[in-house]
Amino acid sequence: MLQNKIIASLMVALTASMQFTVNAQQFASSISECPKLPGRTSPPTNPRDLRPDDIKVIAAMGDSIMAGFALEGVNDGKGGSSILNISSITEYRGQSWGIGGDDNAITIGNFVNHYNSSVEGRSKGSHLATICHGGLCLDAFRNQKKDVLNAALSGGLAMNLKDELDYLIPRMKKLPNINFETDWKLITIQIGSNDQCASCLNPFSGEVTVDKYSGYLEAAVERIKKEIPRVLVNLVGSFNVSAVYDLTKGQEYCRPLFNNPDAILNRVECSCFLFDDEARSNMDVLSNGYNQGLINIYNKYKDQESDTFAVRYTPAQIDISGFPLEGMSNMDCFHPGKLVHQWVAKIIWNSLFLPQAEIPTSMYQYKADEKVYCPAETDRFRVD
Ligand SMILES: *[C@@H]1O[C@H](CO)[C@@H](O)[C@H](O)[C@H]1NC(C)=O
Ligand SMILES: *[C@@H]1O[C@H](CO)[C@@H](O)[C@H](O)[C@H]1NC(C)=O
Ligand SMILES: *[C@@H]1O[C@H](CO)[C@@H](O)[C@H](O)[C@H]1NC(C)=O
């Protein structure tokens, strides 16, 4: 009897200490250190019950950031390669923070793949940029084999989400090894940086108001709801692009043209950077408005929960002013480089397991050694 009691209490102590170890390992330096999840006892029946290993199809929409544009920067090497070098206007989609699938790339696509390697949709490798400006997108530059379900368009504005869905939906239906009707899908959408910049550019300024942005986003979400079954849409917030201006001002790293410290390529890519402080603070006002629009969409669809569709809002209060310069692509000092892509993959992933109320409201500060969250058996992608 006594022996049994001792054994029982030993077991309790042992279980408790195991639990402690598991908790201590909730964050790891790399996803490969995260323990795999034991198989589920019953499959998910609605999108509020999804774990990473339930995701069979991963997709993404957005702009040049999601496309991984210029992520590798310019390799100065011996003699230096110029901005005119074709590798400078390349999209490194295989390393895109949201959906890249290159070996060992630190991306949400690969984090999901760690839990279930049968996931389909990650983008691979690199190719010449698919340039898009306002209404016009040069879709001919798409490479379906490499892009897979990364529908992002470099230069894309919220108004182009429609074009992205025109590519994404048929492409998803054609994917081998999936069941379009029954497989669970995760679609990440992040857009708004070009919209902020275009607020200083005629004739686009009228297309990037908060109302227009919100309308385009809602139309995209509504279409996904109608046309794609069993899906979780992750709306990732807009961040203040204006901070890039001060971060990069006068920096040799940004390869100023003609040795003029103010002649950095980002001044052309972001029209507002050619104007005054007011133009840039107006960008912040817009970005805040876009986020309010996303929150409204989230709240609207939360009231329409179903067994086949859900929306999540993931704030992206990223403090760009605190980035190390080498976090930016030295090609133009406008696009994030590989380090920032890797960091964003981790902070966004980490918050996917938190309900809105527990997501930190403070700004995210870049950390080279940011840890990645290892979900436990009971964790779910939260939509509440
Ligand atoms: C272009 O850039 C790539 C990668 O940075 C480099 O390997 C190559 O040598 C460059 N080519 C020229 C002509 O500079
Ligand atoms: C991966 O997902 C598929 C279908 O979504 C499922 O049948 C399979 O059991 C999962 N594998 C793992 C290791 O979880
Ligand atoms: C953007 O800037 C505005 C104005 O400075 C600030 O109120 C807001 O919190 C910032 N938002 C993000 C997401 O960084």
mmCIF file of all heavy atoms in Angstrom, residues 238-240 284-285 287-288 291 316-318 363, ligand 3:
data_model
loop_
_atom_site.group_PDB
_atom_site.id
_atom_site.type_symbol
_atom_site.label_atom_id
_atom_site.label_comp_id
_atom_site.label_asym_id
_atom_site.label_seq_id
_atom_site.Cartn_x
_atom_site.Cartn_y
_atom_site.Cartn_z
ATOM 1 N N SER A 238 -0.700 46.431 -41.253
ATOM 2 C CA SER A 238 0.183 47.309 -42.014
ATOM 3 C C SER A 238 1.151 47.955 -41.007
ATOM 4 O O SER A 238 0.810 48.134 -39.839
ATOM 5 C CB SER A 238 -0.708 48.360 -42.687
ATOM 6 O OG SER A 238 0.036 49.466 -43.112
ATOM 7 N N PHE A 239 2.352 48.270 -41.439
ATOM 8 C CA PHE A 239 3.303 48.924 -40.519
ATOM 9 C C PHE A 239 3.714 50.270 -41.115
ATOM 10 O O PHE A 239 3.503 50.539 -42.292
ATOM 11 C CB PHE A 239 4.515 48.039 -40.252
ATOM 12 C CG PHE A 239 5.014 47.346 -41.476
ATOM 13 C CD1 PHE A 239 5.863 47.997 -42.356
ATOM 14 C CD2 PHE A 239 4.602 46.058 -41.760
ATOM 15 C CE1 PHE A 239 6.301 47.375 -43.509
ATOM 16 C CE2 PHE A 239 5.037 45.429 -42.919
ATOM 17 C CZ PHE A 239 5.890 46.087 -43.796
ATOM 18 N N ASN A 240 4.307 51.109 -40.268
ATOM 19 C CA ASN A 240 4.652 52.465 -40.686
ATOM 20 C C ASN A 240 5.909 52.482 -41.551
ATOM 21 O O ASN A 240 7.025 52.468 -41.039
ATOM 22 C CB ASN A 240 4.869 53.352 -39.461
ATOM 23 C CG ASN A 240 3.566 53.672 -38.743
ATOM 24 O OD1 ASN A 240 2.489 53.564 -39.325
ATOM 25 N ND2 ASN A 240 3.677 54.067 -37.492
ATOM 26 N N ASP A 284 1.668 57.534 -41.985
ATOM 27 C CA ASP A 284 1.365 56.855 -40.710
ATOM 28 C C ASP A 284 -0.131 56.892 -40.408
ATOM 29 O O ASP A 284 -0.694 55.923 -39.907
ATOM 30 C CB ASP A 284 2.120 57.515 -39.542
ATOM 31 C CG ASP A 284 3.622 57.394 -39.689
ATOM 32 O OD1 ASP A 284 4.079 56.631 -40.562
ATOM 33 O OD2 ASP A 284 4.347 58.075 -38.931
ATOM 34 N N VAL A 285 -0.735 58.040 -40.720
ATOM 35 C CA VAL A 285 -2.181 58.168 -40.492
ATOM 36 C C VAL A 285 -2.920 57.132 -41.344
ATOM 37 O O VAL A 285 -3.824 56.438 -40.868
ATOM 38 C CB VAL A 285 -2.660 59.605 -40.827
ATOM 39 C CG1 VAL A 285 -4.185 59.696 -40.771
ATOM 40 C CG2 VAL A 285 -2.018 60.612 -39.876
ATOM 41 N N SER A 287 -1.675 54.290 -42.557
ATOM 42 C CA SER A 287 -1.364 52.949 -42.074
ATOM 43 C C SER A 287 -2.241 52.597 -40.860
ATOM 44 O O SER A 287 -2.782 51.499 -40.758
ATOM 45 C CB SER A 287 0.122 52.857 -41.726
ATOM 46 O OG SER A 287 0.432 51.563 -41.306
ATOM 47 N N ASN A 288 -2.373 53.568 -39.956
ATOM 48 C CA ASN A 288 -3.260 53.355 -38.802
ATOM 49 C C ASN A 288 -4.688 53.091 -39.261
ATOM 50 O O ASN A 288 -5.364 52.212 -38.728
ATOM 51 C CB ASN A 288 -3.286 54.608 -37.917
ATOM 52 C CG ASN A 288 -2.173 54.603 -36.891
ATOM 53 O OD1 ASN A 288 -1.440 53.628 -36.757
ATOM 54 N ND2 ASN A 288 -2.039 55.701 -36.171
ATOM 55 N N ASN A 291 -5.140 49.639 -40.620
ATOM 56 C CA ASN A 291 -5.250 48.639 -39.554
ATOM 57 C C ASN A 291 -6.634 48.643 -38.925
ATOM 58 O O ASN A 291 -7.179 47.588 -38.605
ATOM 59 C CB ASN A 291 -4.162 48.854 -38.505
ATOM 60 C CG ASN A 291 -2.808 48.374 -39.014
ATOM 61 O OD1 ASN A 291 -2.759 47.435 -39.813
ATOM 62 N ND2 ASN A 291 -1.734 49.001 -38.588
ATOM 63 N N ALA A 316 0.881 44.089 -36.685
ATOM 64 C CA ALA A 316 2.308 44.054 -37.051
ATOM 65 C C ALA A 316 2.950 45.375 -36.653
ATOM 66 O O ALA A 316 3.447 46.109 -37.492
ATOM 67 C CB ALA A 316 2.449 43.800 -38.548
ATOM 68 N N GLN A 317 2.902 45.658 -35.354
ATOM 69 C CA GLN A 317 3.462 46.941 -34.906
ATOM 70 C C GLN A 317 4.989 46.821 -34.814
ATOM 71 O O GLN A 317 5.566 46.675 -33.764
ATOM 72 C CB GLN A 317 2.797 47.441 -33.619
ATOM 73 C CG GLN A 317 3.010 46.647 -32.378
ATOM 74 C CD GLN A 317 2.129 45.413 -32.304
ATOM 75 O OE1 GLN A 317 1.475 45.021 -33.257
ATOM 76 N NE2 GLN A 317 2.133 44.764 -31.161
ATOM 77 N N ILE A 318 5.571 46.878 -36.012
ATOM 78 C CA ILE A 318 7.001 46.656 -36.175
ATOM 79 C C ILE A 318 7.744 47.980 -36.112
ATOM 80 O O ILE A 318 7.422 48.909 -36.853
ATOM 81 C CB ILE A 318 7.231 45.950 -37.534
ATOM 82 C CG1 ILE A 318 6.719 44.512 -37.455
ATOM 83 C CG2 ILE A 318 8.689 46.021 -37.945
ATOM 84 C CD1 ILE A 318 6.681 43.806 -38.790
ATOM 85 N N MET A 363 5.505 47.929 -29.373
ATOM 86 C CA MET A 363 6.145 47.738 -30.675
ATOM 87 C C MET A 363 7.083 46.533 -30.618
ATOM 88 O O MET A 363 7.752 46.299 -29.615
ATOM 89 C CB MET A 363 6.954 48.985 -31.041
ATOM 90 C CG MET A 363 6.128 50.244 -31.154
ATOM 91 S SD MET A 363 5.080 50.268 -32.616
ATOM 92 C CE MET A 363 6.254 50.751 -33.869
HETATM 93 C C1 LIG B 3 2.433 54.404 -36.717
HETATM 94 O O1 LIG B 3 2.700 55.751 -36.409
HETATM 95 C C2 LIG B 3 1.649 56.389 -35.684
HETATM 96 C C3 LIG B 3 1.990 57.872 -35.592
HETATM 97 O O2 LIG B 3 3.266 58.054 -35.088
HETATM 98 C C4 LIG B 3 1.503 55.709 -34.339
HETATM 99 O O3 LIG B 3 0.411 56.289 -33.617
HETATM 100 C C5 LIG B 3 1.197 54.221 -34.561
HETATM 101 O O4 LIG B 3 1.152 53.536 -33.331
HETATM 102 C C6 LIG B 3 2.222 53.572 -35.461
HETATM 103 N N1 LIG B 3 1.708 52.258 -35.795
HETATM 104 C C7 LIG B 3 2.470 51.183 -35.989
HETATM 105 C C8 LIG B 3 1.752 49.915 -36.315
HETATM 106 O O5 LIG B 3 3.672 51.216 -35.893
#
